[in-house]
Amino acid sequence: MADSSNSLLKTAVERIRGYLDDPDLEAKYTDDYIVRHVFQPAFATVTSRLNNSASNPVLKRLTFPLVKNQQYYQLPPCVGEVWRLAIVDNTGNVTQEAIPRGLYNYRGPNWQIEGNMLSFLPYPDANYSSVELWYCPSGDFQPVYCATASGATFNATYTALTVLLGTTTPTLGTFDRRPGAYVGQMLRFIGTTNNSVVEERMIESWTKSATANAWIATVRIPFTENTTATAFEIAPEGGESLYEAVACAGAMKLAGYRKTTGDHFMMIQAQYRDAMKTLMDRSSNMQMRMPKSWQKDTVDNELGQSWRF
């Protein structure tokens, strides 16, 4: 069940407070504080544990040119795990690919990640106008919820939202001013009435506009119901299981602030483990392009399957 506003961020905050049930906490920590200092690191914790098991990660492509004999290229903060570096034609076919090699390969590693830089060794032997880096977003971003959308406007095709920092005032959290930080996250239009349709769209890019204080969030497919900017939030992509796990992780972090009793902390920890198990089950089996199978022939699978030989 979500918060009455349908905000996932507010829902997570309510659950964090519910798990702790502490009157002192209610008075000392605001919802905004919890989103900034508890929800954000808790989401990073859950994401770290989830990344290696999800079968449906958001896959993004970053296009940039390679310059002959230039070793380093800056990566935006949204780049988490790199899957592929390739040249793709205008029909989506991979025509060339740069395969990473071992660090001690006599020809060099070809390419490798060094902090927030992409490094080529040996250096590129020619100029390439367009190379694609395939990656999973890192989840390193600052979530934000705006109860009103003053200063936020759509483009003509409803695929890009421009927000004016200082005019579009967050109710919870703050806008991330790092280019690309929101890539792979959800832009959710919530609305303020019972007739409002909640729409969720994956963010394709987050860039600084030439207009002063303006930033643009571009989504993969256009909004259809929300053609006028209303209440919205930028939050992690995911459902009930994700937000329950984040709420439990956040409650454990905040419990450390309050020196919660051991029994109470163990109760929250048990809820966190249960929520993480549910989240892992959902994410690891989301796509399932290959059916479940046995690792080897046994008496259970060898007979009764006429297609086997």
Side-chain angles (χ1 to χ4, degrees):
M1 182 66 69
D3 173 81
S4 59
S5 67
N6 277 309
S7 165
L8 293 180
L9 292 179
K10 293 185 71 175
T11 298
V13 170
E14 284 188 357
R15 291 182 182 181
I16 290 172
R17 293 188 182 279
Y19 274 120
L20 294 173
D21 191 23
D22 186 341
D24 291 340
L25 183 148
E26 295 288 337
K28 187 171 184 179
Y29 301 111
T30 65
D31 288 354
D32 182 60
Y33 179 92
I34 292 175
V35 167
R36 291 171 184 258
H37 300 287
V38 179
F39 178 93
Q40 205 169 325
F43 175 65
T45 298
V46 172
T47 301
S48 174
R49 283 153 178 73
L50 181 65
N51 278 344
N52 289 332
S53 64
S55 67
N56 65 319
V58 177
L59 191 60
K60 185 69 180 67
R61 300 179 183 182
L62 174 68
T63 303
F64 63 98
L66 283 187
V67 180
K68 183 178 181 179
N69 292 331
Q70 179 177 322
Q71 179 180 1
Y72 292 110
Y73 298 82
Q74 182 74 43
L75 295 175
C78 58
V79 175
E81 180 181 357
V82 176
W83 281 29
R84 199 173 195 181
L85 188 64
I87 295 176
V88 182
D89 65 18
N90 55 12
T91 61
N93 293 310
V94 174
T95 58
Q96 290 180 272
E97 182 168 7
I99 305 296
R101 298 186 290 259
L103 180 64
Y104 300 105
N105 189 291
Y106 73 96
R107 292 181 297 166
N110 202 8
W111 63 265
Q112 61 186 7
I113 305 297
E114 298 181 14
N116 63 349
M117 306 289 289
L118 179 64
S119 169
F120 285 87
L121 286 173
Y123 305 152
D125 59 358
N127 293 321
Y128 297 87
S129 61
S130 180
V131 176
E132 285 191 358
L133 182 76
W134 298 16
Y135 67 93
C136 293
S138 62
D140 176 14
F141 75 103
Q142 299 180 42
V144 63
Y145 164 70
C146 296
T148 61
S150 175
T153 55
F154 274 120
N155 65 348
T157 57
Y158 308 111
T159 57
L161 180 74
T162 299
V163 295
L164 293 174
L165 304 193
T167 303
T168 308
T169 305
T171 307
L172 300 176
T174 186
F175 285 106
D176 201 317
R177 298 196 303 273
R178 297 174 297 169
Y182 288 135
V183 171
Q185 307 309 320
M186 261 192 323
L187 175 57
R188 304 181 72 248
F189 271 92
I190 303 167
T192 55
T193 68
N194 290 332
N195 290 327
S196 301
V197 176
V198 177
E199 284 190 285
E200 303 174 337
R201 295 292 185 268
M202 192 74 66
I203 296 176
E204 182 79 1
S205 67
W206 172 249
T207 56
K208 176 72 172 66
S209 170
T211 305
N213 300 330
W215 287 74
I216 302 173
T218 304
V219 295
R220 288 187 173 179
I221 59 176
F223 287 92
T224 56
E225 299 289 341
N226 292 280
T227 55
T228 301
T230 56
F232 70 93
E233 65 184 351
I234 299 177
E237 187 281 326
E240 170 69 25
S241 54
L242 172 67
Y243 281 84
E244 177 66 9
V246 171
C248 292
M252 288 194 298
K253 289 183 180 297
L254 204 50
Y257 295 2
R258 304 299 302 161
K259 298 180 181 179
T260 303
T261 63
D263 289 344
H264 191 176
F265 187 87
M266 289 176 64
M267 180 276 293
I268 300 173
Q269 193 174 49
Q271 293 295 320
Y272 169 72
R273 290 171 178 165
D274 183 65
M276 283 300 301
K277 176 63 168 60
T278 302
L279 178 60
M280 294 287 194
D281 289 345
R282 172 185 176 274
S283 299
S284 60
N285 296 318
M286 175 69 77
Q287 187 164 337
M288 287 302 291
R289 291 184 298 173
M290 296 296 291
K292 293 178 182 294
S293 61
W294 285 272
Q295 294 297 317
K296 62 181 180 179
D297 285 334
T298 69
V299 293
D300 298 307
N301 72 340
E302 188 172 8
L303 303 176
Q305 299 179 6
S306 59
W307 53 267
R308 292 183 62 86
F309 61 91

